Amino acid sequence: MVKDCATVWRNCLQVIKDNIGEQSYKTWFEPIVPFALKDNVLTIQVPTQFFYEWLEEHYVGLLKKVIYQELGSEGRLEYQIIIDRGDNFNKPQTVNIPTKKVPQAIANSYQPEQHFLKNPFESKSIDRNFLNSQLNASYNFDNYIEGDCNRLARSAGYAVANKPGTTSFNPLMVYGGVGLGKTHLVQAIGNHIKSNNPEKFVLYVSSEKFANQFIESVKTNTIQDFANFYLLVDILIIDDVQFLSGKEKTQEMFFHIFNHLHQAGKQIVMTSDLPPRSLKGLEERLLSRFKWGLTADLQSPDFETRMAIIQKKMQSDGIDIPDNVVEYLAYSVDTNMRELEGVLTSLMAQSLLNRKEIDLELAKGALKHIIEDVEAEVNLDFIQKTVAEYFEVTVDSLKAKTRKKEIVTARQVAMYFAKEFTSHSLKSIGYHFGGRDHSTVIHSVQTVSDLIDTDKKFKASIQELQKKFKVKAG
Ligand code: ADP
Ligand code: MG
């Protein structure tokens, strides 16, 4: 069979995606374009020299493995770097950089684990040694920061990880909003069990993948194989079960697998973005099963936990970020930890790309770049600038220590609007006004409200300013 470069690269990406974080995948692999495949040499086009260096430094092992898996030991990867994009009159200019053949050592050591990836149900007798857990090894308990937000879920998860199937936490259901650490926690459970019990078949699967596999098995008339495969599992970790909502047939299949595994004393771990009682479109009999064990929620991490998450991440990436930047990030991104991670990756990339130290300015840029609504909503910078102009003082003076009357008034008004028009917490507003504490913010908001009630002229100025923010906020 003649393979084409797009197919080969697509297969490579499938494996890569399962082995690295989502953000890294987006940053470093999505922009790559497969260019050619000739004599077992796959040429991929990368946007810059820097990009190529980064891939070679951080992902060389992984790339070699996937190339070996796809093209065998003769397979090689070649990079094509765009050095000039060209225009209507000039063709783009590129250079090609070959890499070495897959070294024998890597080729020898590589265990083809694709049994599950390719077509898990093709053979009747499944060799358990080839089963792939689909776990991402970088998620563990050591790098899962504990805080008030996750204490119950984490300790229940840890108990399950140590005694799968034998605690009363079966099933364990973890729920919480996007980016609060559900996947990380359940993967940590899986990795922990796997390293303590290599003989057990731990399987991590997203509900989306489960549903797609099921649909595929219906199409190809292999439902029985599908079911048999899942019945082999010792620890089933199924992520984002809300995805099964409305999919009746898939739910029915899951219900049977669930019952069978549970009866056999196998551990089941699930996540969902809502508590079971609020999950719409899931059958009652399934929901009632979810409640047999323990349901634990994840809340948004508090400021200190966010700081610790950033620090842990820096540590594992071997980067150094000044304290004021860490604080700024922890204040600014306060719910979705995946966004926080995205900001960090982007910061690292920009710092390397522009050969600049990571500082507050770069961090502010990275935040704008990643979190789109920072720009869309009326932000603190805009409020400070507008209020400062109106009162004819400088933005810096709003953040300074000075207690001059006209500056104090402008500062209080700006804080008042920050409270009204942004989603920043009192603590965060104080932080952005020269590190004042939240009680100062409360006092300012109160003072301005009182003045609006008692001073007509003042009220008129506030209304005038308010219009500017309302227009922007839409
Ligand atoms: P969810 O599955 O709830 O959407 P994830 O588990 O994917 O969230 O978490 C998003 C990112 O935030 C992951 O990279 C994860 O490692 C990180 N993260 C979330 N909570 C924590 C925590 N308590 N400690 C360390 N990292 C965390
Ligand atoms: Mg998740």
Side-chain angles (χ1 to χ4, degrees):
M1 195 182 79
V2 183
K3 292 183 173 178
D4 68 283
C5 66
T7 313
V8 168
W9 182 240
R10 203 165 40 239
N11 292 343
C12 292
L13 285 181
Q14 288 244 316
V15 180
I16 292 170
K17 201 172 190 170
D18 285 334
N19 279 284
I20 64 174
E22 190 182 66
Q23 195 60 43
S24 312
Y25 178 81
K26 280 205 177 120
T27 311
W28 302 111
F29 289 92
E30 279 189 355
I32 296 176
V33 180
F35 187 74
L37 178 66
K38 196 165 172 267
D39 302 332
N40 282 322
V41 180
L42 174 69
T43 309
I44 57 174
Q45 203 172 57
V46 297
T48 59
Q49 164 89 13
F50 164 78
F51 213 94
Y52 149 76
E53 284 169 9
W54 182 277
L55 287 172
E56 277 289 286
E57 187 171 332
H58 293 86
Y59 298 109
V60 68
L62 180 60
L63 282 166
K64 283 193 170 143
K65 276 187 186 178
V66 294
I67 290 296
Y68 176 69
Q69 185 178 338
E70 279 302 311
L71 300 174
S73 57
E74 289 302 308
R76 272 197 298 115
L77 186 66
E78 186 170 278
Y79 296 92
Q80 181 171 86
I81 302 170
I82 305 172
I83 46 179
D84 184 326
R85 294 202 167 271
D87 52 33
N88 286 347
F89 306 102
N90 300 297
K91 277 196 184 160
Q93 278 186 17
T94 58
V95 302
N96 282 19
I97 303 184
T99 57
K100 294 190 199 75
K101 232 175 79 170
V102 178
Q104 207 52 41
I106 289 188
N108 288 344
S109 70
Y110 184 65
Q111 296 281 331
E113 281 193 318
Q114 71 274 45
H115 188 95
F116 181 69
L117 283 178
K118 283 267 169 69
N119 180 1
F121 320 118
E122 69 194 351
S123 91
K124 296 277 176 254
S125 59
I126 297 170
D127 182 344
R128 291 173 72 100
N129 293 325
F130 280 120
L131 297 172
N132 185 329
S133 283
Q134 308 291 311
L135 286 164
N136 180 336
S138 59
Y139 291 126
N140 54 47
F141 278 104
D142 284 341
N143 59 22
Y144 195 71
I145 305 291
E146 182 173 353
D148 289 340
C149 55
N150 59 27
R151 210 172 308 280
L152 173 66
R154 188 184 190 281
S155 52
Y158 195 65
V160 163
N162 282 305
K163 293 183 158 188
T166 59
T167 67
S168 53
F169 309 149
N170 195 16
L172 174 64
M173 159 71 109
V174 178
Y175 71 89
V178 174
L180 294 187
K182 300 183 291 297
T183 299
H184 187 143
L185 177 59
V186 298
Q187 291 249 7
I189 297 173
N191 282 314
H192 190 91
I193 298 177
K194 208 174 129 186
S195 67
N196 290 344
N197 314 270
E199 77 292 353
K200 287 210 174 12
F201 177 25
V202 181
L203 179 70
Y204 168 88
V205 65
S206 68
S207 299
E208 184 173 4
K209 192 161 174 179
F210 180 88
N212 290 340
Q213 287 174 343
F214 175 69
I215 293 167
E216 195 57 34
S217 78
V218 173
K219 275 197 214 145
T220 54
N221 225 351
T222 51
I223 299 183
Q224 198 52 49
D225 295 339
F226 174 89
N228 287 346
F229 173 79
Y230 274 93
L231 299 183
L232 281 178
V233 174
D234 293 310
I235 288 92
L236 178 63
I237 303 171
I238 177 155
D239 208 354
D240 291 318
V241 292
Q242 74 276 358
F243 189 83
L244 300 181
S245 96
K247 302 187 170 61
E248 287 163 27
K249 289 278 172 240
T250 313
Q251 281 181 42
E252 201 179 309
M253 175 54 95
F254 181 57
F255 182 72
H256 289 303
I257 293 172
F258 183 103
N259 285 344
H260 179 97
L261 294 181
H262 196 269
Q263 260 166 20
K266 307 294 168 71
Q267 178 71 45
I268 299 161
V269 179
M270 296 178 289
T271 76
S272 151
D273 65 350
L274 288 172
R277 69 186 131 77
S278 315
L279 279 172
K280 299 252 158 28
L282 281 189
E283 273 189 67
E284 197 44 48
R285 57 176 186 168
L286 203 50
L287 291 180
S288 74
R289 296 259 181 309
F290 291 178
K291 294 177 203 150
W292 280 355
L294 179 80
T295 302
D297 68 330
L298 295 176
Q299 300 281 342
S300 297
D302 57 30
F303 176 68
E304 286 73 19
T305 310
R306 298 199 297 272
M307 291 273 288
I309 291 176
I310 299 175
Q311 276 151 353
K312 193 79 187 178
K313 179 96 187 81
M314 286 161 43
Q315 208 183 2
S316 75
D317 285 334
I319 48 166
D320 212 18
I321 297 183
D323 288 349
N324 65 340
V325 177
V326 176
E327 263 180 33
Y328 173 77
L329 294 176
Y331 266 112
S332 312
V333 184
D334 55 4
T335 50
N336 188 337
M337 293 306 100
R338 194 169 310 132
E339 273 175 0
L340 197 56
E341 213 158 55
V343 177
L344 279 177
T345 311
S346 154
L347 262 182
M348 275 187 289
Q350 287 182 38
S351 146
L352 273 162
L353 202 55
N354 307 323
R355 301 190 197 291
K356 261 176 85 176
E357 293 286 313
I358 292 176
D359 59 11
L360 213 49
E361 192 194 341
L362 205 64
K364 286 186 177 174
L367 264 182
K368 278 216 181 97
H369 174 65
I370 302 251
I371 308 170
E372 284 149 10
D373 40 29
V374 168
E375 250 183 340
E377 79 170 21
V378 178
N379 63 27
L380 279 176
D381 285 348
F382 180 74
I383 290 175
Q384 289 178 335
K385 202 169 135 268
T386 312
V387 173
E389 261 168 30
Y390 187 87
F391 285 94
E392 296 174 343
V393 300
T394 63
V395 170
D396 284 343
S397 69
L398 298 180
K399 302 176 185 176
K401 291 234 166 350
T402 169
R403 304 225 21 98
K404 270 197 206 135
K405 175 122 182 25
E406 66 273 20
I407 291 173
V408 171
T409 306
R411 187 183 295 137
Q412 290 178 333
V413 168
M415 286 183 178
Y416 171 86
F417 283 121
K419 180 81 189 69
E420 183 172 359
F421 284 106
T422 75
S423 51
H424 284 268
S425 63
L426 294 169
K427 215 169 165 181
S428 171
I429 294 172
Y431 172 79
H432 286 94
F433 281 84
R436 295 181 148 80
D437 76 30
H438 76 286
S439 60
T440 310
V441 183
I442 296 177
H443 175 74
S444 301
V445 173
Q446 193 55 49
T447 308
V448 173
S449 303
D450 291 347
L451 277 172
I452 292 173
D453 290 342
T454 53
D455 182 340
K456 279 213 177 97
K457 211 171 135 222
F458 183 80
K459 183 175 177 181
S461 337
I462 292 294
Q463 282 170 338
E464 201 181 323
L465 272 166
Q466 208 157 25
K467 274 189 215 138
K468 297 183 198 250
F469 301 129
K470 283 218 172 108
V471 169
K472 185 131 195 273

